[in-house]
């Protein structure tokens, strides 16, 4: 409990740090919303026109004023207005987040469904041919970027079969469950397979360690079956490193998967941030990055709590 | 592994087919349109972006419009005339013109629109084209008179732009132009999610005639290869393609057709004469002589374009081979370099924007290798677009590879660079009396033959002075499936031709 409170106390401090960092970083990048909108045509503006636009975009105040205005809004739950969407930033985030969350969850399911069994399988057949085959696949999966998998799947479907899940017109799960899953399955596979490879390798390594431990050998010698020992004793312990890795990966996925979203034309958070940066939509960049940072910390906290639940040594102050 | 992926693919395919079947529209005929870049806003007066203009042209109308031959056609105005002294331009509006909210388009709306464009507070992007308008009179609901400070022949062409669209006076009053669209054009905007999709319906009361289908569903597919995949899978009927590499794949695909039109925009190597040693005329000419334009075009754009002089509009464009050093001549380049005092060559930096256009880095690299053959050593600096624009506007470069927008009228296209008080003279950084005088003459001259001669002289002088090295124009591309017929491309890149399209059942 004390551990939890300590962790929670750090939250606001980190968020404040992130807010300052993002605010300054996006403004250090040359060009502003006017340049992004007008391009070289911006050179055609008269000084009065430029001033009017700067006032419209809120670029006429100094940074400190802009920051404290924004921070004041934050405490009232107002993340400001996006200049490119003409909508409150919070609305855009809440509209896009379900997609990102669904994509992250589906990718994790794909990764764990492939990675865990493959890792256990390889560990129990250590250094046999089948283990080698799994490891070669895992190496390939890890070294093939997810966007290559994405592009290949689109190419094969469109050229080979002349079909493609609808792209660019996203439907939510509640509107049309089948249509939604059809749109999400390829991106989930593209994101999931690369991570599945990492899960496979970690699971394999962790299982090999544990299968060599004393208590597993003891269990074996007492006549428990091989399967029982693996699934009942070894796997829960082997899950700890997998959980850590998955937590970090899940935190990343909640920040959106930019390239895969671009390829499949999914309106997730990753693309929102990318477009917002390119269009110098300051309020939107700040709001979304803050939201992503918050999610990342939350996921990390949950992982640490789960970790403690799985491994008693952590709960009792680490006197192993 | 293989069986798993094939099962997954079969499942995905089944799901895809099922969802298409479930989502099949009921008897409404819509055109599915896909493009990779979405509009960045909805206010027609303040948005210059190519992608934004493509969308807004389907919903807003200017007074006049350019057809695919770049000839003026009626839009909101059914006729127009200059007074004999050229100081008054009178428009008669089409009495049937109506805004999407059902109110008629009147001269009051035209006046309010232009007052908004000319107001500096608006930040209207094309304002500089209309500053010769000093007063607007509205004798009756269907007549608008623009009073000018001096004769201005290019004004009419300048008005043929969605940046000079007529919007309802009530929408200006209410301040809703940034958020909703009430135009007088062929389509209404039903729904839009920026960077994702938009739904348009054909406007029944459009004064320009009937559209043969019910609406357009636009999807934004950021990846250009995905556009091609969507066409192949029949998800898109029509797509707007920017990347020549992707465009060349379209004709190789069964059942797809590529529409090509040469653009007005031009690729150019801008030299900054305020930077040493580019101030030397002989040295700038040497750079021009050292470049093989066709070779750059072939290598960087797969030959998809045409070598050009400064004038790119069909009415003024001539065979450029008569211009100064348009055939590569390396010996002459070396002589000119020696004359400028740089017999051993020199080193300079060239800036180019990443991915804008997709061919920019290739163009820079080919030029780099060609110039190295006469001893000029180029260092390429690739920059993110907004950074490039900042540097470009500040003239903070030795040389720049640029793709600059073109206009139908040479004056409107070039007065920003090649007149003494042009807004972008500080970027062009070269001006002489000949250029300035010819530009001013061309602006006031109304006789077409005389104008062609004036701008012909302007072009050959500009090429000889070599402040920039003009290279070539590219193409604008659209692709369509067999079910689409009747679309005509235009050099402006507009998709307005979609109003004439019919869709097969």
């Amino acid at each position: 409990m004390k551990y939890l409170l300590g962790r929670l106390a750090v939250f606001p401090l980190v968020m404040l740090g992130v807010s300052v960092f993002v605010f300054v970083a996006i403004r250090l990048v040359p060009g502003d919303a006017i340049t992004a909108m007008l391009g070289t045509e911006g050179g055609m503006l008269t000084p009065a026109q430029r001033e009017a636009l700067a006032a419209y975009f809120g670029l006429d105040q100094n940074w400190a004023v802009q920051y404290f205005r924004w921070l004041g809004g934050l405490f009232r739950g107002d993340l400001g207005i996006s200049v490119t969407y003409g909508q409150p930033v919070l609305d855009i985030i809440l509209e896009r987040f379900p997609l990102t969350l669904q994509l992250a969850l589906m990718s994790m399911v794909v990764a764990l469904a492939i990675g865990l069994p493959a890792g256990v399988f390889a560990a129990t057949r250590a250094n046999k041919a089948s283990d080698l085959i799994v490891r070669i696949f895992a190496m390939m999966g890890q070294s093939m970027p997810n966007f290559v998998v994405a592009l290949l799947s689109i190419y094969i479907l469109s050229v080979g079969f002349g079909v493609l899940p609808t792209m660019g017109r996203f439907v939510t799960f509640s509107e049309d469950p089948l249509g939604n899953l059809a749109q999400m399955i390829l991106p989930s596979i593209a994101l999931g397979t690369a991570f599945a490879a990492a899960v496979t390798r970690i699971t394999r390594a962790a299982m090999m360690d544990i299968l060599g431990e004393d208590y597993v050998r003891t269990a074996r010698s007492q006549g428990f079956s091989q399967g029982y020992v693996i699934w009942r004793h070894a796997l829960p312990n082997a899950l700890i490193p997998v959980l850590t890795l998955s937590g970090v990966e899940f935190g990343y996925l909640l920040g959106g998967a930019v390239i895969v979203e671009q390829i499949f034309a999914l309106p997730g958070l990753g693309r929102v941030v990318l477009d917002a940066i390119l269009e110098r939509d300051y309020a939107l960049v700040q709001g979304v990055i803050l939201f992503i940072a918050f999610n990342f910390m939350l996921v990390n906290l949950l992982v640490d709590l789960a970790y403690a639940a799985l491994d008693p040594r952590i709960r009792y102050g680490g006197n192993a | 592994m293989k069986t798993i992926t094939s099962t997954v693919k079969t499942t995905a395919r089944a799901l895809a087919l099922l969802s298409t079947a479930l989502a099949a529209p009921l008897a409404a005929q819509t055109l599915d349109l896909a493009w990779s870049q979405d509009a960045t806003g909805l206010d027609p007066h303040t948005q210059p972006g190519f992608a934004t203009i493509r969308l807004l042209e389907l919903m807003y109308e200017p007074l006049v419009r350019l057809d695919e031959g770049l000839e003026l056609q009626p839009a909101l105005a059914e006729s127009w005339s200059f007074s004999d002294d050229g100081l008054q331009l009178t428009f008669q509006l089409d009495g049937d013109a109506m805004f999407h909210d059902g109110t008629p388009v009147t001269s009051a709306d035209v006046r309010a629109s232009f007052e908004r464009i000319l107001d500096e507070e608006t930040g209207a992007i094309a304002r500089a084209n209309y500053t010769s308008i000093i007063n607007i009179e509205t004798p009756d609901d269907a007549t608008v008179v623009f009073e000018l400070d001096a004769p201005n022949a290019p004004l009419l062409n300048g008005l043929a732009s969605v940046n000079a669209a007529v919007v309802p006076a009530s929408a200006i009053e209410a301040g809703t132009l940034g958020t909703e669209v009430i135009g007088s054009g062929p389509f209404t905007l039903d729904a839009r999610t920026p960077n994702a999709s938009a739904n348009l319906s054909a406007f029944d009361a459009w004064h320009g005639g009937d559209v043969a289908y019910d609406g357009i569903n636009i999807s934004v597919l950021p990846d250009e290869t995905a556009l091609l995949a969507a066409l192949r899978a029949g998800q898109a009927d029509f797509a707007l393609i920017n990347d020549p590499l992707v465009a060349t794949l379209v004709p190789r695909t069964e059942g797809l057709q590529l529409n090509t039109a040469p653009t007005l925009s031009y690729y150019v190597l801008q030299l900054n004469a305020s930077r040493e040693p580019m101030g030397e005329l002989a040295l700038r000419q040497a750079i021009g002589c050292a470049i093989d334009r066709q070779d750059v075009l072939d290598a960087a754009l797969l030959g998809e374009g045409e070598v050009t002089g400064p004038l790119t509009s069909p009415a003024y464009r001539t065979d450029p081979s008569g211009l100064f050093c348009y055939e590569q001549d390396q010996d002459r380049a070396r002589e000119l370099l020696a004359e400028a005092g740089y017999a051993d060559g020199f080193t300079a930096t060239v800036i180019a924007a990443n991915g804008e256009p997709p061919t920019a880095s290739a163009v820079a690299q080919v030029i780099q290798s060609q110039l190295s053959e006469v001893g000029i050593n180029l260092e390429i600096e690739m920059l993110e677009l907004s950074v490039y624009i900042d540097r470009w506007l500040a003239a903070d470069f030795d040389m720049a590879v640029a793709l600059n927008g073109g206009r139908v009228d040479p004056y409107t296209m070039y007065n920003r660079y090649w007149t003494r008080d042009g807004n972008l003279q500080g970027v062009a950084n070269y001006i002489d009396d000949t250029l300035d005088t010819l530009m001013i003459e061309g602006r006031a001259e109304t006789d077409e033959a005389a104008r062609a001669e004036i701008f012909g002289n302007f072009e050959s002088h500009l090429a000889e002075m070599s402040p920039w090295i003009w290279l070539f124009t590219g193409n604008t591309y659209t692709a369509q499936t067999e079910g689409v017929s009747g679309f005509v491309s235009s050099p402006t890149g507009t998709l307005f031709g979609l109003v004439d399209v019919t869709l097969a059942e």
Side-chain angles (χ1 to χ4, degrees), chain A residues 29-32 35-50 52-53 83-86 95-96 114 137 151 153-159 161-169 176 178-179 181-182 185-186 189 261-265 267 271 275 277-280, chain B residues 1 8-9 12-13 15-20 22-23 32 40-41 46-49 117 119-125 127-128 179 192-199 217-223 225-226 229-230 232-235 384 386-390 392-393 407 415-416 423-424:
Chain A
V29 181
D32 55 26
T35 316
M37 180 174 95
L38 302 186
T40 55
E41 294 283 335
M44 301 295 288
L45 295 176
T46 63
Q49 282 185 305
R50 185 164 275 281
L53 283 173
V83 294
T84 46
Y85 286 72
E95 187 187 342
R96 301 302 181 93
I114 299 173
F137 265 107
L151 286 171
S153 61
I154 287 183
Y155 181 79
I156 292 165
L157 278 184
S158 68
V159 175
F161 301 100
V163 293
L164 208 58
T166 313
M167 294 199 300
R169 312 192 67 77
D176 173 9
L178 273 181
L181 287 176
I185 197 113
L186 285 180
I189 290 169
E261 284 174 20
Q262 287 278 69
I263 292 170
F264 289 104
R271 257 180 75 200
D275 291 331
I277 291 172
L278 292 177
E279 285 160 11
R280 305 290 191 269
Chain B
M1 196 75 196
V8 165
K9 273 174 190 146
R13 190 183 162 190
L15 284 172
L17 285 170
L18 200 57
S19 67
T20 332
L22 288 172
D32 289 317
T40 53
T46 59
Q47 293 281 343
I117 291 168
D119 179 1
E120 292 192 84
E121 288 284 302
T122 309
I125 195 62
R127 178 179 176 275
T179 47
R192 172 169 181 258
T193 309
N195 295 320
S197 64
N199 297 345
N217 287 339
I218 299 172
S219 306
V220 184
L221 307 180
D223 186 82
T225 51
R232 281 184 179 136
Q235 257 183 45
E384 191 249 354
S386 284
V387 180
Y388 169 90
I389 288 165
D390 266 16
W392 188 91
L393 287 172
R407 303 283 185 284
N415 76 40
R416 57 181 62 188
N423 296 54
L424 298 178

Side-chain angles (χ1 to χ4, degrees), chain B residues 54 57 66-71 238-241 257-264 314 474-480 484-501:
Chain B
R54 296 295 154 261
E57 276 170 338
L66 295 165
D67 64 14
E68 60 275 7
L70 300 178
E71 295 292 326
F238 194 92
L240 182 64
I241 294 173
Q257 182 193 324
L258 182 71
N259 311 307
T260 307
T263 58
L264 296 173
N475 292 325
T476 162
Y477 303 100
T478 52
Q480 60 191 48
V484 177
S485 51
F487 181 79
V488 182
S489 306
S490 162
T492 61
T494 184
L495 298 182
F496 186 76
L498 289 175
V499 299
D500 299 321
V501 157

Side-chain angles (χ1 to χ4, degrees), chain A residues 248-260:
Chain A
V248 173
E249 176 72 9
F250 191 66
Y252 277 127
L253 284 173
L254 286 185
V258 180
I259 298 178
V260 168

Side-chain angles (χ1 to χ4, degrees), chain B residues 341-355:
Chain B
Y342 287 89
D344 300 334
F346 65 97
T347 297
T349 304
V350 61
I351 62 168
N354 259 325

